[in-house]
Amino acid sequence: MTRPHVLLSVAMSIDGYIDDASPERLRLSDAADFDRVDQVRADSDAILIGAQTLRRDNPRLLVDSADRRTTRIAAGKPEFPLKVTVTASGDLDPGLRFWHHGGGKLVYTTDAGAARLADSLSGLADVVPLGAELDFGVLLDDLGRRGIARLMVEGGTRIHTAFLAADLADELQLAVTPLLVGDPEAPRFLDAATYPGAPHRRMHLADVTQVGDVAVLRYLPRGNRPGAEHADQDMVFLRRAIELAWLCPPSETAFSVGAVIVADGVEIATGYSRETDAKVHAEESALDKLDADDPRLARATIYSTLEPCSQRGTATRLPCTDRILRAGIPRVVLAWREPATFVTNCVGVEKLRQHGVEVRELTELAAEAMSMNRHLKLT
């Protein structure tokens, strides 16, 4: 069983607040950043919010863009991600907008909370007791059993604190907004807690992006443990490649594959099968977006959901293994080997390793990477 990838998402003021102390919600982000968050929601299988935030803000917690919802449906996903909340007490009003919009809803609570909610949320949500106390590891195990691969956690303070204190966060997207709050009664991003490795363990900064007047920092919280920089990044970027594979135009004669090229912890190019023409492969499409002499290629990793091909049906195009070798990329990460559906003997991994390329196989993501290809004979 694989736990979902856990992405913490938060917007905060320059002085570390996520709201002010007034009854009205402080809108920290601008329109461009709200649109970015909508995309992150659309890319997620489930969105989690704490009960305190649910009571205070009364959000619907939806994907607002109709185009993004249509893309989800076309990819075989529900129109809306599963909505999840967590409460120890079971103090949740059935009249909240959360229950009456979007798709499935799930409540994790204690045994006592479950008894309190049994009647009030009947027909509105599934209620799952976690025992005498909340256990976020058990929560993630249950979501994994439900097929949730990517969990977006939108807060609030207690929830973000709990995930980081338990070392359960894979990624943190921190939007820093150009506002000052300065109110000691207002909520901050995190509470005081015993955080693993604090105060010396440093997160890995994977990316910095300007979105409108907001700076979005993407951190990998476990990125500085021995060997974890690659391990954490590999899971993040291979899952990104899996998301891209869902964008492939459907085909009965070719696999749907996604690819991401990363250098210095930053995504520099992406591609997916049939992105630009009916024959283009994912790795080929990503490489075509970079100059052949781009110096970043010499220190890059290419993430592909499927083993790079070692032969092509189109004679005028190089196999993807040859394109990777020609580009000088030293490292490849993939989810599954190419089956004999179209090619009887793909030797992409062997060829890359023979030429000194490091190849890592994350077979724990193979089922996710195969999922958009289930209509094919995966022999």
Side-chain angles (χ1 to χ4, degrees):
M1 177 188 59
T2 302
R3 287 178 173 177
H5 174 85
V6 177
L7 184 157
L8 308 186
S9 176
V10 64
M12 73 176 192
S13 65
I14 286 176
D15 53 343
Y17 292 94
I18 60 172
D19 201 352
D20 60 15
S22 71
E24 299 297 322
R25 177 69 171 166
L26 176 64
R27 293 172 66 88
L28 288 162
S29 294
D30 59 9
D33 190 55
F34 281 123
D35 185 67
R36 176 193 65 83
V37 171
D38 195 60
Q39 182 64 63
V40 178
R41 287 182 177 180
D43 291 339
S44 301
D45 299 307
I47 306 169
L48 186 150
I49 190 170
Q52 185 175 19
T53 303
L54 197 59
R55 290 188 292 265
R56 184 184 68 234
D57 297 342
N58 194 18
R60 296 180 306 156
L61 212 66
L62 302 176
V63 174
D64 289 329
S65 166
D67 288 343
R68 289 173 181 141
R69 297 198 302 270
T70 300
T71 298
R72 286 180 58 86
I73 293 169
K77 299 180 179 182
E79 181 179 6
F80 295 99
L82 176 69
K83 298 198 295 187
V84 182
T85 190
V86 181
T87 173
S89 67
D91 179 16
L92 290 172
D93 183 347
L96 291 170
R97 298 193 300 168
F98 181 89
W99 315 115
H100 303 285
H101 299 271
K105 292 92 179 175
L106 189 61
V107 180
Y108 288 103
T109 185
T110 59
D111 293 337
R116 182 175 181 179
L117 292 169
D119 294 330
S120 63
L121 293 185
S122 177
L124 296 176
D126 291 333
V127 178
V128 180
L130 298 176
E133 298 181 354
L134 296 176
D135 186 322
F136 286 85
V138 174
L139 180 154
L140 292 179
D141 289 338
D142 185 71
L143 287 175
R145 284 191 291 269
R146 295 171 185 268
I148 300 301
R150 189 172 181 86
L151 173 66
M152 179 184 186
V153 179
E154 294 202 25
T157 301
R158 293 178 181 176
I159 298 297
H160 282 146
T161 299
F163 273 97
L164 287 169
D167 209 16
L168 294 173
D170 299 295
E171 181 177 355
L172 166 63
Q173 292 190 10
L174 178 66
V176 182
T177 68
L179 297 173
L180 293 169
V181 175
D183 185 343
E185 301 302 317
R188 290 184 174 273
F189 168 34
L190 295 173
D191 282 331
T194 302
Y195 296 105
H200 303 293
R201 193 174 87 174
R202 303 179 72 87
M203 296 185 184
H204 175 74
L205 179 61
D207 190 28
V208 180
T209 305
Q210 181 176 344
V211 180
D213 62 1
V214 174
V216 181
L217 312 179
R218 191 165 68 84
Y219 284 102
L220 306 181
R222 299 193 294 264
N224 72 331
R225 294 183 311 192
E229 179 175 339
H230 274 324
D232 289 345
Q233 286 191 57
D234 288 349
M235 293 294 286
V236 170
F237 288 118
L238 194 52
R239 280 201 164 104
R240 167 75 169 130
I242 291 170
E243 293 170 4
L244 291 167
W246 281 108
L247 301 179
C248 301
S251 173
E252 297 295 327
T253 59
F255 294 112
S256 292
V257 180
V260 180
I261 303 176
V262 174
D264 305 317
V266 178
E267 179 183 300
I268 61 173
T270 64
Y272 55 87
S273 306
R274 301 174 293 284
E275 179 181 12
T276 54
D277 65 68
K279 299 293 185 181
V280 73
H281 286 196
E283 302 95 326
E284 177 185 16
S285 182
L287 285 165
D288 285 347
K289 295 170 185 173
L290 299 172
D291 292 335
D293 58 354
D294 190 320
R296 295 174 296 179
L297 290 169
R299 57 183 186 274
T301 297
I302 185 166
Y303 296 84
S304 178
T305 57
L306 180 66
E307 177 183 16
C309 66
S310 58
Q311 53 184 296
R312 293 287 291 266
T314 306
T316 56
R317 287 179 157 170
L318 284 175
C320 292
T321 50
D322 290 40
R323 287 291 306 268
I324 292 167
L325 293 171
R326 179 174 289 187
I329 294 175
R331 190 168 184 269
V332 175
V333 178
L334 57 99
W336 61 304
R337 298 281 190 112
E338 181 170 349
T341 307
F342 305 115
V343 175
T344 57
N345 186 29
C346 179
V347 291
V349 168
E350 290 80 2
K351 186 173 182 179
L352 290 167
R353 285 174 172 161
Q354 286 170 4
H355 286 80
V357 175
E358 178 190 347
V359 179
R360 184 180 184 209
E361 300 178 61
L362 294 182
T363 55
E364 61 265 45
L365 295 184
E368 292 177 48
M370 292 179 189
S371 57
M372 67 291 299
N373 294 289
R374 291 296 185 190
H375 64 290
L376 301 173
K377 184 179 180 182
L378 304 180
T379 55

